[in-house]
Amino acid sequence: MRFSFPLPLALGLLLLAAALAGLSVGSVAFGPGELLSALAGGGDPRIAAILIEIRLPRVLLGIEVGAALGLSGAALQGLLRNPLAEPGLLGVSSCAGRGAVVAFYFGLAALSPLALPGMALAGALAATGILLAVAARAGPQDGGSLTLILSGIALSSLSVALTSLALNLAPNPYAVTEMLLWLMGSLKDRTPGDALLALPFILAGGGMLLAAGRGLDALSLGEDTARSLGVDLLRLRLLVVGGTAAAVGAAVSVSGSIGFVGLVVPHLLRPLVGHEPGRLLLPSALGGAVLVTLADLAIRLIPTPQEVMLGVVTALIGAPFFLTLILRLNREVP
Amino acid sequence: MLTVRALSVHRGGRALLDGVGFTARCGAVTGLIGPNGVGKSTLLRAVAGLPPQDATVRGGSLLFDGRPLPTMARERARLVGFLPQGHAVHWPLTVRRTVELGRLPHLGPLGRLRPEDHTAVERVMAATGIDGLSQRPVTGLSGGERARVMLARVLAGEAPLLLADEPAASLDPGHQLRLMEVLRAEAVERDRAVLVVLHDLSLAARCCDHLVLLKPGGGCAAGPTPAVLDPALLREAYGIPFAVTEAAGVPLVIPTLPPKSDRGVSRHAC
């Protein structure tokens, strides 16, 4: 009960600060006054152009993508009752990545700015359809989680193989570089169109995941108890799988795959909400948004000859964390 | 009053339960006994609305106070409280929060606890003697403490019908008796029907008003405790002889094995 109100509020304020920093920092730095007047529609038109055409989509996308990853990580960990679950587990991210690579391969990316995220989204939706069919067929008892995880592994492997095939048969080295860089994940050079394309899917998916909170709480006592408390496990599973697929699929479609946010954020915040899976959802969405916004900010501040990809940075932070998490879990379980 | 009429549950052409019928009265504790694999848990799960995977209820009816048990999960949850075996908890929730989860069937769409929910939670925590553990993580408790927390969780739902699957398993004698006492108080003072699976026949003899003995091959014997704890009936169900006696004013049911005189083993096997 201690943190029930202040935690989301604190994270919200942190997110606001990070977003404002994200808007003002870059190759041209703006003061708060310039920022305000540009956002209000006045001031120097060049500053307004930079802000609205370049920085604002980037910051908005960071928030959307981070929230989608953090929220779906928290929901999946609750559904599978496993702190090592993460959005990539279901294979939706790699299916979206495959869609994008196909768009590069056939040169569709050059035709229209929306072709690339559109193809990625189509890949994610196909994966979602398969996963929902699996989730609906899995029995009401514990086998369901295992079936989901195994289907996710199968989908990922298939997508990774198809992605490698596209890289393998790529028409020229330039295309290979393009595909590889996209897969690493970045928020660079995104348009307002990208932010708008992903938004409805992330909002819809996020709504589904937030609605799952109470069922996830009941599930902490096991599937039998949850069912005896009136929780419809099939509905719960469809909410979490469908919500994750929509939110993460859309996020990957516009940003490429950004790893470890969905794993790390819920784990960091869990002790602050008394380990309750339902109360972890909203803070994880906010925390994910903060983390991605800050990571993107760090990329723009660190002077490197070529901009470091966002997915690389989150993985660099996330992987060692993941390792310590596993080691600590091993120690706790007798 | 729970009325079970000619209940049959099948899985893959095999009968898990065949034509079982009995009643469990409000204000009394009814014990469900029988050998392993005879379908005690299946029966409890069928009443709770959670039949085992791939199993189908083929026939019979389940009535509470003359009305069929609701099929809607949430309505059923308000009427039937179910305490499964195992006492699983997957996250280190606090004791208080764990007990609060028992109120879920009564909460509105936002899941916010109302004053009456808090009252119910505090009452059952006091009744089970866990009010001192309120902020402890439930994963760090001893087996006996955890059993009491889980009992409080199911009591918090204030369902008129309580089902408990081997709640006394793996508890020490003191915890067993106290747990049965809480169940009895809940039944008598709040006029609930309590149906509880037990393996310890002496505990069943001591703490249950009525017994239902499930027999292998279908059917059951139901009635007041002394009538069901009949050596001939027990032998028929369990396949070994029993001595039913009394010591220090407490009923005792002693299972025995036929003597193995040819091997020179003691007459009192084990």
Side-chain angles (χ1 to χ4, degrees):
Chain A
M1 284 296 138
R2 285 170 300 164
F3 291 97
S4 62
F5 176 57
L7 183 65
L9 188 69
L11 286 170
L13 290 174
L14 197 59
L15 180 58
L16 193 65
L20 286 177
L23 286 178
S24 54
V25 171
S27 46
V28 195
F30 303 129
E34 288 165 305
L35 205 63
L36 276 180
S37 59
L39 286 178
D44 190 337
R46 280 171 305 170
I47 294 180
I50 291 178
L51 266 181
I52 290 168
E53 293 300 318
I54 299 172
R55 296 229 179 124
L56 196 60
R58 186 163 183 160
V59 168
L60 281 181
L61 265 181
I63 293 173
E64 286 175 25
V65 169
L69 293 174
L71 180 57
S72 40
L76 271 180
Q77 292 180 3
L79 180 73
L80 303 175
R81 283 155 287 152
N82 190 329
L84 302 182
E86 62 119 10
L89 189 75
L90 291 182
V92 178
S93 327
S94 39
C95 285
R98 183 205 56 204
V101 165
V102 168
F104 278 121
Y105 184 80
F106 290 108
L108 299 174
L111 297 180
S112 147
L114 288 184
L116 178 60
M119 280 297 284
L121 204 54
L125 287 178
T128 309
I130 295 171
L131 281 169
L132 284 179
V134 169
R137 269 155 197 251
Q141 261 124 25
D142 212 53
S145 306
L146 190 63
T147 319
L148 265 183
I149 294 173
L150 292 177
S151 324
I153 292 174
L155 276 178
S156 304
S157 316
L158 184 65
S159 305
V160 169
L162 287 172
T163 305
S164 307
L165 184 69
L167 290 170
N168 195 181
L169 302 178
N172 55 63
Y174 180 70
V176 173
T177 315
E178 219 175 15
M179 290 179 200
L180 279 177
L181 279 178
W182 190 88
L183 284 175
M184 285 179 200
S186 170
L187 298 174
K188 199 183 167 198
D189 302 333
R190 298 300 191 261
T191 64
D194 289 318
L196 286 178
L197 178 74
L199 191 62
F201 293 95
I202 291 178
L203 283 182
M208 286 167 77
L209 293 175
L210 287 174
R214 198 154 33 140
L216 294 179
D217 277 343
L219 206 53
S220 347
L221 299 180
E223 311 212 349
D224 281 342
T225 305
R227 285 170 73 201
S228 79
L229 287 171
V231 172
D232 182 345
L233 286 189
L234 179 60
R235 177 179 169 273
L236 182 66
R237 205 177 287 147
L238 292 179
L239 271 180
V240 174
V241 172
T244 300
V248 174
V252 174
S253 304
V254 290
S255 69
S257 62
I258 294 170
F260 289 104
V261 175
L263 177 74
V264 171
V265 169
H267 189 78
L268 282 177
L269 296 173
R270 183 169 290 117
L272 303 182
V273 294
H275 298 265
E276 290 171 35
R279 267 174 64 209
L280 181 60
L281 294 176
L282 184 61
S284 291
L286 293 168
V290 170
L291 188 64
V292 171
T293 309
L294 288 180
D296 191 48
L297 194 62
I299 287 168
R300 282 184 276 161
L301 286 177
I302 299 166
T304 43
Q306 198 184 354
E307 191 175 291
V308 180
M309 303 304 269
L310 183 58
V312 176
V313 173
T314 56
L316 276 177
I317 304 168
F321 181 87
F322 188 58
L323 213 55
T324 45
L325 176 62
I326 294 170
L327 289 174
R328 201 159 41 172
L329 276 179
N330 273 344
R331 224 180 303 135
E332 276 168 14
V333 177
Chain B
M1 186 169 74
L2 169 73
T3 311
V4 178
R5 270 197 214 133
L7 183 69
S8 296
V9 178
H10 286 245
R11 173 160 58 194
R14 200 171 73 88
L16 298 176
L17 283 175
D18 194 13
V20 172
F22 64 91
T23 60
R25 278 192 214 140
C26 293
V29 177
T30 305
L32 187 56
I33 56 173
N36 289 127
V38 78
K40 301 185 295 295
S41 294
T42 304
L43 172 57
L44 223 53
R45 301 179 66 99
V47 178
L50 327 164
Q53 204 161 17
D54 310 326
T56 47
V57 179
R58 281 272 179 87
S61 55
L62 296 167
L63 309 170
F64 192 75
D65 287 342
R67 279 189 300 275
L69 285 179
T71 44
M72 284 276 298
R74 233 171 110 77
E75 282 174 47
R76 185 109 154 197
R78 271 185 230 134
L79 190 70
V80 186
F82 176 51
L83 180 59
Q85 286 181 43
H87 305 157
V89 187
H90 295 279
W91 304 107
L93 303 178
T94 62
V95 166
R96 168 91 191 197
R97 185 62 197 145
T98 308
V99 178
E100 282 173 2
L101 286 178
R103 293 299 298 172
L104 269 187
H106 300 280
L107 301 184
L110 288 179
R112 208 164 276 275
L113 293 170
R114 299 152 302 167
E116 63 260 41
D117 298 313
H118 285 293
T119 313
V121 167
E122 277 147 27
R123 180 184 74 76
V124 298
M125 286 182 71
T128 49
I130 54 166
D131 32 5
L133 305 174
S134 187
Q135 292 307 314
R136 291 264 302 276
V138 73
T139 41
L141 300 178
S142 73
E145 288 168 332
R146 194 189 271 215
R148 279 187 281 157
V149 172
M150 292 304 151
L151 179 63
R153 195 278 302 158
V154 72
L155 294 183
E158 303 199 308
L161 172 58
L162 278 179
L163 310 172
D165 198 350
E166 295 191 39
S170 69
L171 293 184
D172 67 48
H175 274 115
Q176 288 191 344
L177 286 179
R178 268 182 233 122
L179 182 133
M180 293 306 293
E181 205 165 64
V182 173
L183 278 178
R184 159 162 296 281
E186 192 73 14
V188 175
E189 286 162 24
R190 307 187 74 85
D191 201 34
R192 311 246 196 270
V194 175
L195 181 61
V196 49
V197 172
L198 290 174
H199 264 303
D200 183 339
L201 296 181
S202 294
L203 191 66
R206 192 167 170 176
C207 304
C208 298
D209 305 289
H210 302 270
L211 287 181
V212 178
L213 172 63
L214 290 185
K215 295 183 199 167
C220 66
T225 300
V228 175
L229 290 179
D230 170 64
L233 264 178
L234 291 176
R235 181 171 191 152
E236 187 193 335
Y238 288 90
I240 56 166
F242 283 83
V244 181
T245 174
E246 205 182 276
V250 176
L252 270 181
V253 182
I254 304 166
T256 56
L257 282 178
K260 293 181 177 174
S261 49
D262 51 329
R263 280 163 48 198
V265 181
S266 156
R267 200 171 61 82
H268 305 289
C270 309

